[in-house]
Amino acid sequence: MNKNNILIFYEKSKSNAVISLIFFAVLLIIPAILRISSYRNESYVEGVLILCMMWAAMTLSWNLLMGYMGIWSLAQQVFFGIAAYTSAMMNYYLHMSPWLGFIVGPLCATLVGLLVAIPVLRLKAAPYIIIATMCLAEIVRLIFINLVDWTRGELGFWQMDAFNNILGINFNGADKIPYYYLIFIIFAAITLVCALLAKSSTGLAMKSIRDSQEAAESLGVDIVRTKIKVFLISAFMAGFCGVFFAHYIKILTPTDVFGPSMMTELIAMNVLGGIATIRGPIFGAFFLTLTMETLQGIDSYKLLIYALILIITTLVLPNGMLNSSAQFISWINKIKNLRLNKKVPLTEFSESG
Amino acid sequence: MTVFVQNLINGIISGSYYAVLGVGLTVTWGVLKMINIAHGDFYMIGAFMFYTFSILMGFPVVPSIIIGIAAVFILGMVMEKFVLAPSLGRGKFGDTPFILTLAIGILLQNIAQLTWGEKNVGVPYFNDAIFQFMGLTMAGQRLIVAAVAMVTLIVVMMVIKKTRFGWAISATAQDTFSATLMGINTKQIYMVTFGIAAGLCAIAGCLLAPIYGINPWMGGSIQLKSFVVCIVGGLGSVEGSIVAGLALGIIESYVTQFLGSGWQNVIAYALVIVMFWFRPAGIFGKME
Amino acid sequence: MLKISNLNAYYGDVQVLYDVNLEVNDKEIVTILGSNGAGKTTLMKTICGIETKRSGVIEFQGENLMKVPAHKLVTKGITLAPEGRHLFPELTVKENLLLGAYAFKDKRKINDTYDWVLTLFPRLKERLIQYAGTMSGGEQQMCAIGRVLMSNPKFLMMDEPSLGLAPNIVDTVFDVITKINKEKGITIVVVEQNANIALQTADRGYVLENGVIGMSGSAQSMLESADIQKLYLGL
């Protein structure tokens, strides 16, 4: 890499940092703007943005496993659900403060992360990992359905306590702003950790594992340690989102939090935005959540449109919407070529066979 | 003893369908080198097709089933041609086709919800007879269903082992490049194979519909079961899938007997995890 | 028989072949020499239409092959015995051989060819029901050559037939090449790193270097050329 390249790289990362700062600053002041302009649907907009941020945080946590490390673990919702359930059950049976859930919930999720990581460690081929983790997730869901005495089975839990008032902030009212800032902090923290992790030596190790385990091993990367570490971090992050969910949405059923539909959304969001980047999952989560929210009016066609978006993006922009600048440039060049060289195309490709 | 035999027979009957579904999935993996997460949804569409033709349009049972299977076969080929084919081979293990099948699954479920409504529908038994034999009770329906599954499995095996087309499938699965050189139109093989896998799902869907009922979400648990079957049997091994399917059916039947139906699926999935632990390549798979 | 003009080929975004011009006459044995990574295998695959990002003209008996899909070539009499043999490892030798005639339906002719192939390679006769993947390298190479011959080709390309084989088996393979050329009049293109034996067998030769045809001429003159001797014959 010559000096010039380093400079460009530096500039690029600086501009990325500026963009993300602006993004978070805008998110930070949106409630204030809404309040000042006394916008009528204030709490609706805040509610949507809360969901966006929660999904973005979840997708970021999964992106560590799938995007950076190439491990197709489809059990991310289990970490989310375990933490949510832990906090809800502590609240329901022991009447403990939901804030304690933020400590115990993610820890339980981390523990489950370890339990999921161990069988996955033995598997190398992605299809096996996919099927193993899907089975693990389904086992957890069935256990939560069947242990009716503890988990109340399919009924699940509802009407958990809201977060206690803290520092004079009231979480019990109709006002969504406290929740908004709570998830904002979680989201920002997870983004920061993911960004730092991606740049750290662990991040390099993760990427090398994704590209070739053999090569990573020969370079002295401790594969087992890196994998377990990332699994634990990822589960911990998902746990935070789960606890927030439990005391914000206040309804938990095994099929909602352990079923495969949440995982499907995570995959879609991550793939749409572009894997193995920080901005990709965030963009994907915001894009899909906002699109689905806009389509609320034609509810029954929502999933159809969702599926079509996923199919078209995957086929046309294989690297996700944000990572496809090279693709766009090549299209623009092609169009230019068509216009400039109508008589003699530069290279004529025959796509036979 | 009677209970034991009864369970065994029930297990074989449901197992034969796991085998049919598992074979479809495993052949898809063998030839297209991708895992199809929309497999269960083709099963669901098959059942709905049968329902449409037999109940809504009043066709007799056998023609409805045949039309239903043919429709899903064509649907599978169309999906392969227009959605999967452009993406095959992308990503490390075919991540892109995998994601696309995810989208196909959502698409099919939504289409089913829009077309047939978000509710359970049913079709009557083909045959109401009940056979009593040495203390065993067998519904005629289940016997028909089992017979069809067995015939299907035998036909699939024969086609793969004995016909020109079957050779072409094996050749494409083992070496696509070489298969092309032999004059095999591998893209066509991909398309037809995917269609056949979808058609096998439809066979299961049509024949099980009277027993289990039909709804847009019925593909979910069947999907995972088919995965279990082809993993335990070894990805890509047709014989393995058949053995694993039957085994899974029998195990489930006994587990239901002793632990209740709530735990039946837990055991099936736990089996996979145990399998991965001791023999990651499956019973019939080659160790890497 | 085969005329290639201005052939460019790409592997992804990387250009591998640059304006390749090449001609093969009827009933000839032509060898293409070149070091590793010179683009020889790409050239073979491009002619077969396996690598589809290409431009230029490939003409076979007056017909342009650029628009013909890869799997149709075998019915036109063009086959390739690929580098590394690419047998179907989990099919038996017999099934492998019969797949070579997959594109043809005339049972009698297939049987005749099958018998002829087995007389060419008597070793295969003992191995018919063995899985192809379990045979030794030499036997696999025989099976691979037998398989391409099953389609009764007019034009046969062989990519590194001597790769990884013991010297006596290399001799057998090249004897067979001469034999099928003389007996059946099959036109053959052999890509080889073993320049010595290739040039002794061939009528003419080309040298491919970094995707460009560098030198061409009769095999005799190439054997005597100082450059070739230095670069490829190790003299």
Side-chain angles (χ1 to χ4, degrees):
Chain A
M1 204 189 268
N2 60 33
K3 210 174 177 182
N4 204 14
N5 278 345
I6 293 172
L7 215 68
I8 291 170
F9 181 73
Y10 175 71
E11 297 271 291
K12 212 177 157 193
S13 69
K14 209 165 89 177
S15 77
N16 275 347
V18 170
I19 291 173
S20 35
L21 271 182
I22 293 173
F23 175 73
F24 280 99
V26 168
L27 275 181
L28 194 65
I29 57 170
I30 280 181
I33 295 173
L34 290 174
R35 185 57 60 86
I36 291 165
S37 62
S38 59
Y39 179 65
R40 261 187 309 127
N41 288 334
E42 186 195 317
S43 76
Y44 170 72
V45 173
E46 280 161 9
V48 172
L49 286 176
I50 288 174
L51 282 183
C52 286
M53 287 192 276
M54 195 188 79
W55 283 118
M58 272 302 282
T59 314
L60 276 172
S61 76
W62 185 57
N63 186 39
L64 286 182
L65 283 176
M66 187 279 259
Y68 284 105
M69 209 158 57
I71 291 191
W72 271 86
S73 158
L74 300 192
Q76 197 69 14
Q77 83 273 31
V78 168
F79 310 142
F80 177 91
I82 287 284
Y85 256 93
T86 311
S87 182
M89 283 161 78
M90 274 167 44
N91 186 238
Y92 184 84
Y93 291 116
L94 306 171
H95 306 288
M96 293 213 277
S97 157
W99 293 110
L100 267 177
F102 268 129
I103 299 167
V104 184
L107 284 179
C108 284
T110 315
L111 197 69
V112 174
L114 189 66
L115 290 180
V116 173
I118 290 167
V120 166
L121 280 178
R122 284 182 67 92
L123 305 169
K124 270 190 186 153
Y128 293 97
I129 294 177
I130 287 178
I131 294 167
T133 48
M134 280 178 78
C135 286
L136 281 169
E138 191 62 10
I139 290 173
V140 173
R141 185 179 80 90
L142 290 171
I143 288 176
F144 272 80
I145 286 179
N146 281 313
L147 290 178
V148 181
D149 295 341
W150 296 352
T151 64
R152 314 211 311 177
E154 300 255 29
L155 282 178
F157 292 93
W158 64 87
Q159 291 305 323
M160 277 75 73
D161 290 344
F163 293 104
N164 311 66
N165 297 351
I166 192 169
L167 301 170
I169 303 168
N170 180 7
F171 278 90
N172 285 304
D175 198 356
K176 285 211 167 116
I177 288 186
Y179 285 101
Y180 185 94
Y181 283 111
L182 182 58
I183 190 69
F184 178 81
I185 291 168
I186 295 175
F187 170 49
I190 288 180
T191 312
L192 191 67
V193 172
C194 285
L196 291 178
L197 199 64
K199 289 223 168 107
S200 70
S201 61
T202 314
L204 269 178
M206 283 153 69
K207 286 174 206 163
S208 68
I209 289 175
R210 174 189 63 197
D211 292 340
S212 161
Q213 290 208 12
E214 285 76 24
E217 212 158 18
S218 70
L219 288 174
V221 173
D222 189 341
I223 293 185
V224 173
R225 236 191 75 189
T226 313
K227 279 185 180 172
I228 288 187
K229 194 162 136 193
V230 177
F231 250 105
L232 298 189
I233 294 173
S234 175
F236 192 75
M237 289 174 173
F240 261 102
C241 300
V243 176
F244 175 81
F245 179 87
H247 300 282
Y248 170 65
I249 303 281
K250 295 184 186 148
I251 304 172
L252 285 183
T253 66
T255 306
D256 274 351
V257 294
F258 295 120
S261 59
M262 186 187 289
M263 199 60 231
T264 311
E265 295 208 6
L266 294 186
I267 297 175
M269 287 166 179
N270 209 343
V271 168
L272 281 185
I275 61 166
T277 54
I278 299 296
R279 60 210 166 128
I282 298 177
F283 174 82
F286 274 74
F287 175 81
L288 258 193
T289 316
L290 292 176
T291 314
M292 288 303 112
E293 212 48 55
T294 338
L295 296 176
Q296 210 59 272
I298 40 169
D299 212 14
S300 39
Y301 294 92
K302 216 170 80 173
L303 282 173
L304 197 75
I305 295 167
Y306 181 97
L308 289 177
I309 293 177
L310 191 54
I311 290 178
I312 293 166
T313 327
T314 320
L315 284 181
V316 181
L317 301 170
N319 298 323
M321 289 184 178
L322 283 190
N323 289 5
S324 298
S325 49
Q327 188 97 48
F328 285 123
I329 291 169
S330 89
W331 283 341
I332 291 168
N333 282 342
K334 256 184 202 165
I335 294 167
K336 269 187 195 160
N337 282 345
L338 281 179
R339 280 169 57 193
L340 289 176
N341 306 311
K342 259 182 186 157
K343 286 170 210 156
V344 196
L346 270 180
T347 45
E348 181 196 311
F349 295 131
S350 89
E351 292 275 348
S352 63
Chain B
M1 186 61 200
T2 327
V3 177
F4 180 82
V5 177
Q6 182 89 48
N7 273 331
L8 186 69
I9 294 173
N10 288 342
I12 289 175
I13 292 174
S14 53
S16 57
Y17 279 90
Y18 295 151
V20 169
L21 289 158
V23 165
L25 206 53
T26 219
V27 169
T28 312
W29 167 259
V31 176
L32 284 83
K33 302 283 179 287
M34 52 165 277
I35 61 176
N36 174 12
I37 206 165
H39 204 62
D41 296 301
F42 284 107
Y43 163 84
M44 178 266 300
I45 293 285
F48 267 119
M49 284 291 171
F50 172 46
Y51 166 75
T52 311
F53 287 108
S54 79
I55 304 291
L56 300 182
M57 299 173 68
F59 283 33
V61 170
V62 176
S64 326
I65 291 181
I66 292 172
I67 299 171
I69 293 167
V72 175
F73 173 65
I74 292 166
L75 177 73
M77 293 208 294
V78 169
M79 286 292 175
E80 203 282 332
K81 179 91 189 158
F82 293 104
V83 180
L84 296 175
S87 73
L88 281 177
R90 276 201 214 151
K92 229 174 159 188
F93 75 101
D95 318 29
T96 318
F98 169 73
I99 294 162
L100 285 169
T101 58
L102 200 75
I104 291 176
I106 301 173
L107 196 71
L108 294 180
Q109 270 182 37
N110 196 252
I111 290 173
Q113 283 176 23
L114 292 173
T115 320
W116 293 286
E118 300 188 29
K119 58 178 197 287
N120 278 300
V121 293
V123 285
Y125 272 25
F126 309 144
N127 188 322
D128 289 326
I130 303 266
F131 297 100
Q132 298 277 356
F133 179 70
M134 286 171 60
L136 300 170
T137 315
M138 275 294 112
Q141 170 74 21
R142 285 183 179 261
L143 290 179
I144 296 175
V145 161
V148 173
M150 294 299 175
V151 171
T152 309
L153 289 175
I154 292 168
V155 168
V156 169
M157 287 295 286
M158 294 299 279
V159 166
I160 290 181
K161 296 279 171 216
K162 299 285 173 202
T163 63
R164 251 171 72 84
F165 176 69
W167 282 6
I169 286 186
S170 312
T172 310
Q174 288 173 37
D175 197 323
T176 312
F177 167 44
S178 239
T180 309
L181 293 177
M182 300 299 109
I184 296 167
N185 186 349
T186 48
K187 288 186 178 170
Q188 197 185 340
I189 294 287
Y190 283 166
M191 189 174 81
V192 177
T193 306
F194 197 84
I196 289 177
L200 286 173
C201 293
I203 293 179
C206 292
L207 285 150
L208 296 182
I211 302 174
Y212 297 126
I214 308 171
N215 64 53
W217 312 278
M218 66 196 274
S221 68
I222 273 298
Q223 170 72 52
L224 209 47
K225 292 262 178 68
S226 335
F227 274 155
V228 171
V229 167
C230 65
I231 284 295
V232 174
L235 265 179
S237 159
V238 175
E239 297 92 338
S241 277
I242 293 176
V243 173
L246 290 172
L248 180 67
I250 293 166
I251 291 171
E252 267 191 9
S253 156
Y254 285 111
V255 171
T256 316
Q257 165 81 19
F258 295 113
L259 290 177
S261 62
W263 294 100
Q264 153 197 358
N265 291 341
V266 179
I267 299 296
Y269 304 139
L271 201 69
V272 176
I273 307 297
V274 174
M275 183 82 218
F276 276 135
W277 198 261
F278 291 108
R279 205 178 148 80
I283 306 172
F284 283 71
K286 287 186 300 282
M287 299 298 275
E288 276 166 45
Chain C
M1 187 171 230
L2 184 88
K3 191 162 182 279
I4 295 173
S5 9
N6 300 324
L7 184 68
N8 291 291
Y10 307 80
Y11 189 77
D13 291 331
V14 185
Q15 185 161 5
V16 184
L17 298 179
Y18 299 86
D19 281 329
V20 169
N21 290 297
L22 202 147
E23 201 166 344
V24 183
N25 300 320
D26 245 354
K27 303 196 165 70
E28 237 186 346
I29 300 180
V30 170
T31 182
I32 298 172
L33 307 174
S35 52
N36 254 335
K40 297 173 306 217
T41 299
T42 310
L43 178 61
M44 295 294 105
K45 287 186 171 177
T46 310
I47 295 172
C48 284
I50 303 277
E51 304 290 350
T52 53
K53 256 191 152 182
R54 53 183 186 175
S55 69
V57 180
I58 303 171
E59 227 172 77
F60 180 72
Q61 297 185 321
E63 184 190 359
N64 189 358
L65 292 183
M66 292 299 277
K67 298 276 178 223
V68 180
H71 66 269
K72 286 271 163 65
L73 288 181
V74 65
T75 50
K76 298 195 182 299
I78 305 173
T79 51
L80 165 67
E83 184 186 358
R85 304 182 278 271
H86 280 272
L87 293 175
F88 303 112
E90 286 161 52
L91 293 178
T92 62
V93 171
K94 188 177 177 185
E95 286 168 331
N96 265 286
L97 290 177
L98 289 179
L99 267 167
Y102 176 84
F104 303 93
K105 297 218 165 67
D106 185 349
K107 280 258 166 63
R108 266 228 333 263
K109 201 170 172 206
I110 292 175
N111 276 337
D112 291 349
T113 320
Y114 181 68
D115 293 339
W116 172 64
V117 167
L118 289 185
T119 53
L120 270 183
F121 300 107
R123 281 275 277 286
L124 291 182
K125 224 178 215 165
E126 307 151 20
R127 307 268 180 218
L128 284 176
I129 50 164
Q130 193 174 337
Y131 286 120
T134 60
M135 294 194 301
S136 71
E139 289 162 343
Q140 286 197 17
Q141 187 62 56
M142 291 175 190
C143 184
I145 297 174
R147 189 177 63 176
V148 289
L149 291 177
M150 283 298 292
S151 66
N152 279 308
K154 292 179 221 162
F155 180 73
L156 169 60
M157 290 177 278
M158 294 174 137
D159 197 351
E160 305 267 4
S162 73
L163 196 72
L165 298 184
N168 61 331
I169 298 180
V170 175
D171 288 342
T172 320
V173 166
F174 276 88
D175 283 348
V176 167
I177 291 175
T178 319
K179 200 172 168 191
I180 55 181
N181 175 257
K182 293 279 168 319
E183 280 181 10
K184 291 256 171 171
I186 299 173
T187 312
I188 297 171
V189 170
V190 189
V191 164
E192 257 303 337
Q193 289 205 21
N194 188 341
N196 197 7
I197 190 159
L199 284 174
Q200 280 168 11
T201 317
D203 302 314
R204 285 191 308 121
Y206 288 88
V207 173
L208 191 64
E209 270 169 346
N210 298 324
V212 181
I213 293 284
M215 193 192 298
S216 63
S218 75
Q220 199 54 44
S221 68
M222 287 181 89
L223 267 176
E224 287 157 8
S225 141
D227 284 348
I228 299 278
Q229 284 182 353
K230 199 167 71 196
L231 286 169
Y232 299 104
L233 298 174
L235 295 177

